[in-house]
């Protein structure tokens, strides 16, 4: 029983990080109908900035720089590339993000070389014993941080002018423009927020507790596991992104323990396929993912 409780807590911790990343996918899709396949490179970029500035600024300062840099890079990708391709279809823009992802990822991996630095200095490798159950501090902090950030996001999404404008654009872009909503502001801010969330997520991914590996190409692969989370919840549902992230985290943790590590990676996609067969729009989505 203690093992199961530990797996659930650790699965929720991983799920909280996947929820942040999945929320980034969904925010961009709601604002633009584009699937951002460069999300993994935003994670790597934020982590790399932490690595190169940590010695000078200390971990806290480097973490802030990494998060802000990931957000800024996302904004630049949208402003310098995607916004200049307004006539392109969402499918074409999604292919463009794949190219961006390859360029950024390969450059960062080249710069890292053989080093695989861990960047969760404030909480990594500091397990806690609670009632005979061993819990990783990284996962517990991830749950707290994700809860705070997701709550703030939903409050802003529900009550702020930005949230109202984003919901209006998601419903009907042309009608929103006629009502005075500036599409470029909504789109740019969506990319910025998604990048900031990616920058936060990498602080937990590149740790011994979460992945057992430092910042590397593997970090990019782990980040892309948030895409099935977004699909499971529904690509156009912010609440679905959170639920999908938690589902992916729990499936990964439980299948790793009770089946095998190799199967755990397939299990996530198996769950995604089952959900799509039963409900093509995802658990909470309204648009069929198979038609996106």
């Amino acid at each position: 029983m203690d093992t199961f409780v530990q797996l659930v807590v650790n699965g929720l911790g991983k799920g909280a990080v996947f929820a942040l990343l999945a929320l980034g996918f969904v925010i961009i899709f709601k604002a633009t109908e584009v699937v951002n396949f460069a999300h993994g490179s935003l994670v790597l970029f934020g982590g790399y900035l932490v690595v190169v500035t940590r010695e000078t600024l200390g971990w806290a300062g480097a973490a802030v720089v990494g998060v802000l840099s990931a957000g800024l890079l996302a904004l630049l990708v949208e402003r310098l590339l995607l916004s200049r391709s307004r006539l392109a279809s969402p499918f074409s823009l999604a292919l463009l993000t794949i190219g961006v992802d390859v360029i950024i990822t390969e450059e960062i991996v080249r710069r890292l070389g053989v080093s695989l630095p861990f960047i969760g200095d404030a909480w990594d490798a500091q397990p806690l014993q609670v009632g005979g159950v061993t819990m990783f501090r990284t996962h517990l902090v991830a749950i707290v941080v994700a809860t705070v950030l997701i709550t703030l996001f939903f409050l802003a999404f529900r009550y702020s002018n930005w949230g109202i404008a984003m919901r209006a654009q998601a419903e009907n872009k042309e009608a929103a423009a006629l009502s005075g909503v500036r599409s470029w502001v909504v789109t740019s801010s969506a990319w910025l927020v998604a990048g900031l969330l990616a920058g936060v997520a990498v602080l937990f991914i590149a740790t011994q507790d979460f992945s057992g590996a430092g910042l590397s190409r593997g970090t990019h692969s782990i980040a892309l596991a948030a895409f099935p989370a977004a699909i499971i919840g529904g690509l156009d549902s912010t609440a679905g992104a959170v639920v999908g992230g938690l589902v992916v985290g729990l499936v990964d943790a439980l299948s790793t323990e009770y089946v095998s590590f190799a199967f755990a990676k397939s299990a996530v996609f198996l769950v995604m396929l089952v959900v799509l067969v039963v409900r093509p729009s995802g658990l909470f989505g309204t648009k069929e993912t198979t038609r996106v």
Side-chain angles (χ1 to χ4, degrees), residues 136-258:
F136 294 119
R137 194 184 300 266
T138 298
H139 295 154
L140 296 176
V141 175
I143 292 173
V144 173
V145 171
T147 300
V148 171
L149 292 179
I150 291 171
T151 299
L152 290 175
F153 169 80
F154 278 113
L155 288 174
F157 191 66
R158 177 67 179 83
Y159 297 108
S160 71
N161 291 335
W162 169 77
I164 294 171
M166 175 168 283
R167 283 186 282 126
Q169 180 161 310
E171 287 293 328
N172 190 313
K173 190 172 183 179
E174 289 74 19
L178 292 173
S179 300
V181 174
R182 290 180 290 181
S183 177
W184 74 269
V185 173
V186 173
T187 301
S188 297
S189 61
W191 278 81
L192 174 63
V193 171
L196 293 174
L197 293 176
V200 172
V202 73
L203 299 176
F204 300 100
I205 295 175
T207 62
Q208 297 178 60
D209 294 342
F210 192 101
S211 61
L215 191 70
S216 62
R217 192 185 299 275
T219 306
H220 178 276
S221 300
I222 293 171
L224 286 184
F227 182 61
I231 297 295
I232 289 170
L235 261 178
D236 60 338
S237 171
T238 50
V242 177
V243 174
L246 296 177
V247 169
V248 167
L250 288 170
V251 169
D252 181 75
L254 294 173
S255 55
T256 297
E257 177 66 22
Y258 294 117

Side-chain angles (χ1 to χ4, degrees), residues 100-159:
V100 172
D101 182 70
V102 171
I103 293 171
I104 296 173
T105 299
E106 293 304 318
E107 178 59 20
I108 292 176
V109 170
R110 183 189 69 81
R111 288 174 177 270
L112 286 171
V114 296
S115 65
L116 303 174
F118 295 106
I119 61 175
D121 300 15
W123 43 70
D124 196 17
Q126 301 175 45
L128 296 173
Q129 290 288 334
V130 181
V133 178
T134 301
M135 300 182 183
F136 294 119
R137 194 184 300 266
T138 298
H139 295 154
L140 296 176
V141 175
I143 292 173
V144 173
V145 171
T147 300
V148 171
L149 292 179
I150 291 171
T151 299
L152 290 175
F153 169 80
F154 278 113
L155 288 174
F157 191 66
R158 177 67 179 83
Y159 297 108

